[in-house]
Amino acid sequence: MFFPQQYWWDSAAWQVPDGVKYLSERWWELLKDWHCITSYSLPSSFCVSVLEDIAEVLDDLQGGRLRSCHQLDALYDELGQILSSNLLLAHAFPAEVNATVETFKNLYDSLPASPQDKYAELKKRHKECRRAAAAARRLHHRCFRRRATEDDMTWTGYGGLAAMELCREVAKDEPSYNRLDTLVEQLLLDCVYRGYNADYLTSLLDRYLPMKSDLRDGMLHMFRRLSSLKRHRYKIYFVVDGATDAEIRSSELRIDQHTKQSVEDLKSKLDEGRSAPTEIESEEGEIADADDVDEGTLSAGSVDVDEFLSQLDCDQLILSMHWQDSPDAGAAADDAKRRLQEIIDFLDFQSPMQRYDLHPKMLVTWEDRNGKLFARTYPDDSAQQPPQADYAARIDPNSAGKLSGLAEALRWSAVARREKTPEVSLLASWFAFEYLAGTVERTAVEGIVSYFPKVIAIGNVRRRLLYWWSSFAASPGFQGHEKKDALIEIAVAYRNRPNLSGIATLLYDSAQSSPNELGQAVLDIASQSVLLRHRTKIEGKRMANHQVLAHTVQDDDKEIRRELSQFLMIRNKLVHRARIDHPLLTVVSDRAKNRLYDLLRDLSVQLTAERIDGSVDEVLIDYRDTFDELLDELGSGPIDMNVLIQRISLA
């Protein structure tokens, strides 16, 4: 979780509601780590994308490009859940939603139970397939184009509906944080789907919410700017091994050489802080902005420059490349690096006796219209878990033959995390899934769908506890609290390893009506951040009420099952068509990599434990059995906290 040294609302001239504080913190968290969208209680379904996907799958079914109805069934279930639970769609487009539901009911009416017969019968229903696809496309068009009008604002498409509802929810005295979570995620996904610039959206949040005493006025200013689609001119800095100087020829691709001192001079500009927006009075007497706000991010300090320069260990070459027309700073860094890598590869070919290499860290800088400089370091590994110090690995040579599938999966996982092209990254992730599935079922797809969701769902319980503790320990009120040492003693075990039982106990104590001394300390520390306070309340409720925990595990299982079906659908399109036009492909590819990473962690931790000395298949079967037993125990009544931790740890 992102915790600045000082929140902007500490110096605001107006009383900032809790909803705005939560929105600002949550926005930053989602932008810094897309994995949070699916790993921590947020739904990942985006209705506009699902409508487009299911229409294409129906076309594939009628065109003979689909070998089974598994993909269609998964999308149909997902679509049914969206249309039944999404109140925004039901209120804005009632006729289109009802028509879509009716056509799909007719399509799936009286189908045989056998998968083969069901698939054959669906292929015969040409008229019903055409009507269902047409209804899905009609609703997709409404979600993407149709406008909703209020007295002071016109909202476009589904993203406009989410923004309008977000504007209302955040202004309430007691907003629903779960509702804000869903609306923020839907707005972000809609912006990515439409090609909006994420940095631009962040600068709008940073610029208008702190400066506008009228909250609604500030929110309206934000969303009125969404149609401008501003692009920045980025400047990306690289460190190159193999040369200390360069002769750069002039061309359309502008590349400059820099010294270490010239890069360090950027810190003085970055530390100037936030500049207030300039306002002028229009002819009608209204206050208007002097100029269009350009995209940016919340104020950055010199830490990014220091992190970039830490790569220098001798007189190495520092180059910068000017870049534009990218959706955000991260995309600009990836695009520029790909272009510069082509030049480096040519230098390697031209001078085979000299080895050139690009360092992994890049520094991206840009300015807004007011001349304020921003900088970010890519890739951002702040959310990655650092390696444990002084850790002894246990190696058993007899395990070599048992882990052939895991070894191949680790290789493909490395390809997926290193590859910047989303299509290749997604295919590599799927190949790793297939190798991990092994021979546990008749086919790899059956093994993936049957076992992997249960493994990751159990692992998510552990990850939520660890993520809460890392956020809690990084919060501003933790370091100076008098109970810090006592909290660490409970939550941290030998060699600074997190103690899951202790973390769960702290959350359980904080959720009681009369919390004990440490439970009250948790509440006091969490109260300084609206987002952390809400997350502490949610996680404490899960630990105190095991029925809620059971529902969370079941929901994770269903959600991950849908995601794996989505990965399979895109994989099939890539394999059979060699290309795919999917606006959210980058987001889906990142999800596939993160799900694969979680799965590998969950499997590897069991394969290195003393309790299990078998193959990946045995671990998958053990996870499946533990998942079913855990749900039975949680449903029958409260269980001891230590027993719960043993279950989720497969101990």
Side-chain angles (χ1 to χ4, degrees):
M1 185 186 297
F2 174 76
F3 285 111
Q5 295 297 321
Q6 183 182 19
Y7 293 108
W8 59 262
W9 51 79
D10 293 337
S11 58
W14 53 290
Q15 184 64 35
V16 181
D18 283 350
V20 179
K21 297 178 182 178
Y22 183 87
L23 174 63
S24 300
E25 291 182 290
R26 188 62 172 138
W27 188 280
W28 246 106
E29 184 182 49
L30 291 178
L31 284 180
K32 286 184 70 66
D33 188 3
W34 276 97
H35 192 27
C36 295
I37 289 184
T38 56
S39 292
Y40 307 105
S41 306
L42 279 181
S44 63
S45 299
F46 182 56
C47 60
V48 185
S49 176
V50 173
L51 289 166
E52 184 179 22
D53 291 341
I54 198 168
E56 291 186 2
V57 169
L58 284 169
D59 292 342
D60 290 343
L61 178 66
Q62 290 296 294
R65 295 183 294 273
L66 210 63
R67 297 183 179 180
S68 70
C69 57
H70 173 74
Q71 296 179 27
L72 184 59
D73 290 344
L75 284 172
Y76 173 65
D77 293 340
E78 186 174 3
L79 182 64
Q81 183 180 16
I82 290 174
L83 296 182
S84 61
S85 61
N86 195 313
L87 298 180
L88 289 179
L89 282 180
H91 292 161
F93 317 118
E96 291 81 0
V97 170
N98 292 335
T100 304
V101 172
E102 190 64 28
T103 55
F104 276 93
K105 281 185 178 179
N106 294 334
L107 176 62
Y108 271 77
D109 183 42
S110 301
L111 287 176
S114 172
Q116 292 82 4
D117 296 339
K118 182 179 181 181
Y119 171 66
E121 180 63 26
L122 276 173
K123 286 194 65 176
K124 295 177 183 177
R125 299 186 177 185
H126 305 291
K127 183 188 298 183
E128 288 82 357
C129 283
R130 287 197 301 270
R131 288 179 176 176
R137 288 193 169 94
R138 192 179 302 114
L139 182 56
H140 175 271
H141 183 269
R142 296 294 188 271
C143 290
F144 196 73
R145 296 291 184 184
R146 193 165 181 176
R147 297 186 175 187
T149 303
E150 289 188 333
D151 294 338
D152 53 358
M153 187 66 186
T154 298
W155 310 88
T156 303
Y158 182 78
L161 296 176
M164 181 169 58
E165 192 65 24
L166 179 64
C167 193
R168 294 170 180 166
E169 188 68 36
V170 79
K172 293 180 179 179
D173 294 335
E174 295 183 359
S176 170
Y177 297 126
N178 291 334
R179 179 73 169 157
L180 286 178
D181 271 350
T182 303
L183 292 172
V184 168
E185 184 225 8
Q186 296 290 348
L187 177 62
L188 269 175
L189 288 177
D190 185 77
C191 292
V192 175
Y193 190 81
R194 292 169 180 268
Y196 289 159
N197 193 312
D199 289 338
Y200 180 45
L201 295 175
T202 310
S203 70
L204 295 178
L205 183 74
D206 186 31
R207 183 179 179 91
Y208 288 114
L209 285 187
M211 302 302 175
K212 297 291 181 179
S213 58
D214 185 346
L215 175 62
R216 179 171 176 81
D217 185 36
M219 297 288 285
L220 291 178
H221 268 280
M222 282 180 55
F223 298 125
R224 285 189 183 121
R225 301 287 181 171
L226 290 184
S227 60
S228 60
L229 284 178
K230 293 287 182 183
R231 303 293 190 194
H232 259 317
R233 289 186 175 90
Y234 296 97
K235 192 173 183 180
I236 303 97
Y237 292 82
F238 302 89
V239 175
V240 182
D241 270 339
T244 57
D245 198 3
E247 178 183 348
I248 304 173
R249 299 178 182 178
S250 60
S251 68
E252 295 181 357
L253 186 63
R254 183 179 170 187
I255 300 177
D256 300 322
Q257 182 179 351
H258 299 270
T259 63
K260 181 179 180 181
Q261 185 60 45
S262 66
V263 178
E264 286 183 340
D265 291 341
L266 296 173
K267 294 193 290 186
S268 60
K269 296 182 180 180
L270 290 168
D271 291 336
E272 289 176 358
R274 188 197 313 271
S275 58
T278 306
E279 295 183 337
I280 60 174
E281 187 172 349
S282 64
E283 295 179 359
E284 292 79 6
E286 299 178 351
I287 297 298
D289 295 301
D291 202 354
D292 268 355
V293 62
D294 210 342
E295 49 182 302
T297 111
L298 301 178
S299 300
S302 58
V303 62
D304 294 280
V305 178
D306 292 334
E307 184 178 358
F308 172 75
L309 292 176
S310 64
Q311 302 177 111
L312 293 172
D313 53 11
C314 60
D315 293 333
Q316 293 161 314
L317 182 62
I318 301 178
L319 298 178
S320 71
M321 181 182 294
H322 295 256
W323 200 265
Q324 59 182 350
D325 296 330
S326 290
D328 54 38
D334 290 340
D335 295 340
K337 183 177 182 180
R338 191 178 298 112
R339 191 69 177 273
L340 185 60
Q341 187 64 56
E342 295 175 359
I343 300 175
I344 297 298
D345 293 342
F346 180 79
L347 290 176
D348 277 333
F349 176 77
Q350 193 178 43
S351 306
M353 302 301 295
Q354 183 70 4
R355 176 65 179 171
Y356 300 94
D357 194 16
L358 282 178
H359 280 232
K361 291 289 184 182
M362 299 168 283
L363 180 68
V364 186
T365 63
W366 66 95
E367 294 181 353
D368 62 12
R369 290 291 183 87
N370 296 323
K372 178 171 174 53
L373 183 67
F374 298 89
R376 290 180 70 179
T377 304
Y378 286 91
D380 182 11
D381 54 2
S382 60
Q384 296 183 4
Q385 181 178 348
Q388 300 179 20
D390 192 22
Y391 183 77
R394 300 178 60 185
I395 301 176
D396 182 7
N398 296 325
S399 302
K402 302 176 182 178
L403 304 180
S404 57
L406 180 63
E408 290 295 331
L410 289 171
R411 294 189 186 98
W412 281 110
S413 175
V415 173
R417 299 187 72 84
R418 182 176 64 248
E419 179 58 51
K420 299 300 182 182
T421 306
E423 293 88 349
V424 179
S425 177
L426 182 61
L427 284 178
S429 299
W430 186 260
F431 294 156
F433 284 133
E434 290 185 340
Y435 276 111
L436 284 175
T439 58
V440 72
E441 286 288 347
R442 290 177 299 176
T443 65
V445 173
E446 290 180 354
I448 290 171
V449 176
S450 301
Y451 289 85
F452 291 179
K454 297 181 179 181
V455 177
I456 300 175
I458 292 179
N460 275 352
V461 180
R462 296 194 300 268
R463 277 183 284 275
R464 286 190 178 96
L465 293 174
L466 295 175
Y467 187 78
W468 175 84
W469 172 251
S470 62
S471 302
F472 182 78
S475 62
F478 180 77
Q479 296 299 325
H481 200 274
E482 59 182 359
K483 296 295 182 182
K484 172 187 173 182
D485 294 337
L487 293 171
I488 292 178
E489 184 178 355
I490 291 180
V492 179
Y494 178 63
R495 289 184 176 178
N496 293 325
R497 300 183 65 179
N499 180 7
L500 292 178
S501 180
I503 296 172
T505 302
L506 290 177
L507 287 168
Y508 176 85
D509 293 339
S510 68
Q512 303 304 308
S513 56
S514 298
N516 58 18
E517 191 176 9
L518 290 181
Q520 188 60 46
V522 170
L523 295 177
D524 294 340
I525 295 173
S527 64
Q528 300 186 32
S529 165
V530 180
L531 177 57
L532 182 59
R533 184 177 67 207
H534 172 66
R535 181 158 290 147
T536 302
K537 179 181 177 181
I538 295 298
E539 299 301 334
K541 187 177 180 180
R542 289 196 182 102
M543 293 299 107
N545 189 338
H546 290 165
Q547 295 290 336
V548 177
L549 180 60
H551 285 302
T552 302
V553 174
Q554 288 177 316
D555 291 342
D556 280 353
D557 175 54
K558 295 178 183 177
E559 186 61 40
I560 296 165
R561 198 180 303 273
R562 292 194 192 98
E563 287 187 4
L564 292 173
S565 299
Q566 186 181 35
F567 302 157
L568 176 60
M569 180 190 67
I570 296 180
R571 176 260 180 198
N572 289 340
K573 288 184 178 180
L574 287 171
V575 170
H576 297 301
R577 301 180 185 178
R579 62 175 297 276
I580 183 174
D581 185 16
H582 196 294
L584 295 179
L585 183 59
T586 303
V587 178
V588 175
S589 176
D590 287 343
R591 283 178 181 165
K593 288 189 289 186
N594 289 323
R595 291 303 189 197
L596 175 60
Y597 181 74
D598 290 343
L599 181 65
L600 288 170
R601 289 284 302 273
D602 294 335
L603 294 177
S604 300
V605 74
Q606 296 303 324
L607 287 167
T608 57
E610 294 181 358
R611 189 182 63 84
I612 294 179
D613 186 23
S615 64
V616 175
D617 291 356
E618 294 178 6
V619 178
L620 290 174
I621 295 172
D622 199 7
Y623 263 111
R624 181 199 60 186
D625 297 341
T626 301
F627 180 89
D628 298 334
E629 294 170 2
L630 177 62
L631 288 183
D632 292 339
E633 292 178 355
L634 292 174
S636 60
I639 61 176
D640 184 73
M641 190 64 66
N642 291 326
V643 175
L644 173 63
I645 299 302
Q646 289 176 359
R647 281 297 187 191
I648 65 176
S649 301
L650 269 69

